[in-house]
Amino acid sequence: AVRPLFYFLLENDALKKHEKDIIEEAEISEKTKRETLTKFQLMDDITILVSNTSNLSIVRAGAETMALALGYNKKYLEEKSNLQHLFRCIWVLITRFSNKEDTIEIGVIDALKPILTTASRQSKTFAFNLISCALKATLDAKETPAARKIALQTSSIVSQVHPLLTHNMLPDLARLYEQIGNPTNDLIIHQIYALLPCSILLEKGESSSLMPNCNSLVDRIDCHWTLFQIVRRSFAWGCFELSHRILSSRLLQKCSTQRSFFWLRSLSQIANAENTLCNCGTSCISQCLELLNSAYSTICSLAAVDGQDGTTSPAGKFYFQAQILRNRIDFIKLCICTRALCTEMIMCGGNLPFGTRQRLFLKNCPKQFRILAARYMQIYKVYGLHSCQQTKSSLRTMFAMCKFMEAFIEHTISELSITGSLRIQPEFSHPKGDKNLAMGALLLRLRTGALKPLGISKSTSRNTTELLDAIDAIMKCPCPFPIRMFQITPISYTIIDISLDIDS
């Protein structure tokens, strides 16, 4: 009942632009304040309604509406009173379900997932209190199996948004895992989902201690569909070692059709290539490109079997997969070409002779990265409306990766710089969720620690060395793959009937 009224208030925001020429500035400000208070009051009423019901359908509808409301009103959680009110109402509902003895299969967290994810993304305080209270409830003497399941679910949700926050609570999670003993497949999934983001954002020595835990958990799973879900999430976070292990040793041996075998084999080749690139860097680039090209050829063959133009038209089933792989291969080749040219520059004393082919190649490198960024942005525009938030975030990260390389090359070579100062391009700004990905965090650190000082340094040889180090770091950093990669479906078209006769 509240949702149509809330939509009406959202539409009223657009009226302020048309009324600006008529209404005085003070009156507009007063009207905006009244509308904001009305929206906040509606949001408070929704949380009270959700906390006082046991109907999961109402809980799910309220959570979806609140997630939409927070998307349009990000200042809501900036006020301490609103944050306390939202958390108190949600935790009252969660506590009521966790105290029931026969609710091991309850779906209260699944119903609340939209609001829990959105609120955790906007407020780190909310995320910290959510996982802390969930883990503390499992230490109570009266805790139930439902409380343990809720703690696992909340930890997996928070881990997707704030991995380092979950990492700080790994000792408490370890005690929780010991209490569970022999978990079901559903609980194992939540354990793995909580550990994967933590392992990929840590140093190599620290993350290696978490992978055996994930491998031992995977060995307990017998359901092939559950294993495929774990592979999909591992691709999203860049845990390619686990993905390759599951695909090569578990799933490929159980394929029932030839098409499934080729599809899973192409995914296994991608995971193997990315894992090799992360471990060995540019020293194994030929092996990596061979595997990626083989996977690309397999996907093109599967598209041809369907009898459709599957890799060249957005209407094809494999268009998204083919474009992502093609762009990834081109990005690696451009990085290797740039790295070879920078190495030659260092050997030549800091610059390349005028009129040589190498110098022309170097001047064209920023243009090639700009074209590649445009290709990623085109995929984002075509598929962004039909994809989940993780797919959008991954595509934006890949776009930012290409724009970073373009800016770095232009400002490394003094002759390519248009101005003496560093140009900060507005489209490079990171969305808030991207910095939780390993590649997004690396790009942010390189931009502030390596790219900005280039506007001050005038040494071409020093800047070239910095570019070489940046390329090596990017090549060894796990690149997130969109979850849309695993959906073999074309995008849906919308048919609009337009009448030229307004009287008809």
Side-chain angles (χ1 to χ4, degrees):
V2 176
R3 191 178 300 175
L5 179 59
F6 188 77
Y7 287 156
F8 172 75
L9 289 174
L10 289 181
E11 293 175 357
N12 282 346
D13 286 343
L15 298 178
K16 295 194 289 290
K17 297 181 180 179
H18 302 288
E19 297 172 354
K20 190 172 182 180
D21 298 333
I22 304 174
I23 308 177
E24 296 294 334
E25 199 70 33
E27 189 175 349
I28 294 177
S29 177
E30 184 65 26
K31 182 181 178 182
T32 304
K33 185 183 298 185
R34 288 199 305 268
E35 288 184 357
T36 301
L37 292 176
T38 305
K39 293 176 186 177
F40 285 3
Q41 183 61 47
L42 282 175
M43 296 167 74
D44 293 341
D45 294 340
I46 293 173
T47 54
I48 294 175
L49 173 64
V50 167
S51 65
N52 288 279
T53 182
S54 298
N55 190 330
L56 290 182
S57 298
I58 298 177
V59 173
R60 184 175 291 105
E64 293 174 353
T65 306
M66 276 297 297
L68 174 68
L70 289 178
Y72 282 93
N73 299 272
K74 297 182 178 180
K75 295 183 178 180
Y76 178 80
L77 293 181
E78 294 180 1
E79 297 183 13
K80 186 177 180 180
S81 58
N82 294 336
L83 180 63
Q84 292 176 343
H85 174 74
L86 177 63
F87 181 80
R88 188 183 301 112
C89 292
I90 289 179
W91 188 247
V92 166
L93 177 65
I94 293 176
T95 304
R96 187 189 314 132
F97 276 88
S98 63
N99 290 333
K100 297 181 180 180
E101 296 290 342
D102 56 344
T103 53
I104 188 60
E105 298 297 334
I106 60 172
V108 60
I109 300 298
D110 293 332
L112 288 172
K113 187 175 182 179
I115 180 60
L116 295 181
T117 304
T118 305
S120 298
R121 183 179 293 112
Q122 293 186 5
S123 174
K124 193 173 182 180
T125 303
F126 180 91
F128 175 78
N129 287 304
L130 178 64
I131 188 173
S132 298
C133 293
L135 292 175
K136 186 177 180 180
T138 60
L139 302 177
D140 190 2
K142 298 181 180 179
E143 61 92 15
T144 61
R148 292 196 292 267
K149 181 177 180 179
I150 287 175
L152 285 176
Q153 290 176 313
T154 53
S155 64
S156 65
I157 291 175
V158 173
S159 183
Q160 307 304 313
V161 183
H162 298 290
L164 293 180
L165 183 62
T166 308
H167 171 258
N168 295 333
M169 305 212 173
L170 283 179
D172 296 330
L173 286 174
R175 286 195 296 269
L176 175 62
Y177 297 160
E178 292 177 359
Q179 293 176 4
I180 295 175
N182 296 322
T184 61
N185 285 352
D186 189 21
L187 298 181
I188 290 176
I189 288 180
H190 293 299
Q191 293 184 37
I192 295 176
Y193 285 178
L195 292 177
L196 285 180
C198 300
S199 63
I200 202 60
L201 290 182
L202 300 176
E203 298 295 335
K204 209 67 178 177
E206 295 179 289
S207 62
S208 60
S209 61
L210 293 178
M211 293 312 297
N213 296 333
C214 294
N215 292 332
S216 61
L217 291 173
V218 167
D219 292 337
R220 302 181 186 180
I221 300 177
D222 298 326
C223 178
H224 296 154
W225 173 243
T226 302
L227 291 173
F228 187 77
Q229 286 181 307
I230 296 175
V231 169
R232 182 172 58 183
R233 188 59 63 93
S234 300
F235 264 79
W237 281 99
C239 301
F240 299 108
E241 180 182 356
L242 181 64
S243 302
H244 177 61
R245 180 177 179 271
I246 296 175
L247 288 167
S248 59
S249 61
R250 301 290 299 277
L251 296 182
L252 278 174
Q253 301 173 1
K254 302 296 182 179
C255 290
S256 57
T257 62
Q258 188 177 19
R259 289 168 55 85
S260 299
F261 175 79
F262 284 127
W263 167 238
L264 293 179
R265 191 182 70 170
S266 64
L267 294 178
S268 178
Q269 289 174 333
I270 296 172
N272 189 15
E274 294 292 342
N275 183 46
T276 302
L277 189 63
C278 293
N279 292 332
C280 304
T282 54
S283 60
C284 295
I285 200 66
S286 58
Q287 179 184 355
C288 173
L289 288 177
E290 182 180 355
L291 291 170
L292 290 178
N293 281 307
S294 177
Y296 177 76
S297 300
T298 303
I299 289 177
C300 292
S301 300
L302 290 174
V305 171
D306 287 339
Q308 301 177 357
D309 198 10
T311 58
T312 59
S313 172
K317 291 183 179 180
F318 292 91
Y319 176 80
F320 184 86
Q321 290 77 8
Q323 292 301 312
I324 291 295
L325 267 185
R326 187 73 265 169
N327 291 349
R328 179 61 176 164
I329 293 172
D330 291 343
F331 178 82
I332 294 175
K333 288 181 177 179
L334 283 175
C335 287
I336 294 304
C337 179
T338 305
R339 191 178 188 280
L341 292 173
C342 291
T343 304
E344 189 171 350
M345 281 186 60
I346 296 176
M347 296 175 62
C348 294
N351 212 334
L352 295 174
F354 284 93
T356 59
R357 181 178 299 179
Q358 290 83 352
R359 188 179 184 85
L360 294 177
F361 283 166
L362 191 60
K363 283 192 175 183
N364 285 329
C365 281
K367 300 177 183 178
Q368 298 298 324
F369 278 109
R370 191 181 309 125
I371 294 173
L372 189 58
R375 284 159 55 181
Y376 274 121
M377 181 52 62
Q378 181 63 26
I379 298 176
Y380 178 80
K381 292 178 180 178
V382 173
Y383 286 90
L385 184 62
H386 309 276
S387 304
C388 62
Q389 182 63 36
Q390 191 278 338
T391 298
K392 300 176 187 177
S393 180
S394 299
L395 291 174
R396 289 195 297 261
T397 301
M398 294 175 179
F399 169 78
M401 192 167 56
C402 298
K403 298 300 291 185
F404 173 83
M405 289 300 302
E406 175 197 350
F408 211 132
I409 296 173
E410 285 186 344
H411 294 91
T412 298
I413 315 302
S414 58
E415 287 77 4
L416 295 179
S417 299
I418 298 177
T419 59
S421 59
L422 180 63
R423 293 184 300 158
I424 305 297
Q425 302 188 10
E427 63 267 26
F428 188 82
S429 59
H430 287 269
K432 191 172 182 180
D434 288 356
K435 63 183 179 181
N436 291 324
L437 299 173
M439 183 61 72
L442 175 64
L443 292 176
L444 192 61
R445 292 177 61 183
L446 289 176
R447 183 171 175 79
T448 56
L451 184 55
K452 285 186 177 180
L454 293 183
I456 304 174
S457 176
K458 300 299 182 182
S459 174
T460 305
S461 59
R462 178 182 176 184
N463 294 344
T464 306
T465 305
E466 293 283 346
L467 178 57
L468 279 175
D469 294 339
I471 292 176
D472 290 339
I474 290 176
M475 297 298 285
K476 296 193 70 173
C477 182
C479 181
F481 272 72
I483 290 183
R484 182 68 171 75
M485 185 87 175
F486 293 83
Q487 299 177 9
I488 314 300
T489 54
I491 59 175
S492 58
Y493 285 95
T494 302
I495 300 176
I496 303 176
D497 295 329
I498 301 177
S499 176
L500 299 179
D501 186 6
I502 60 176
D503 297 328
S504 61

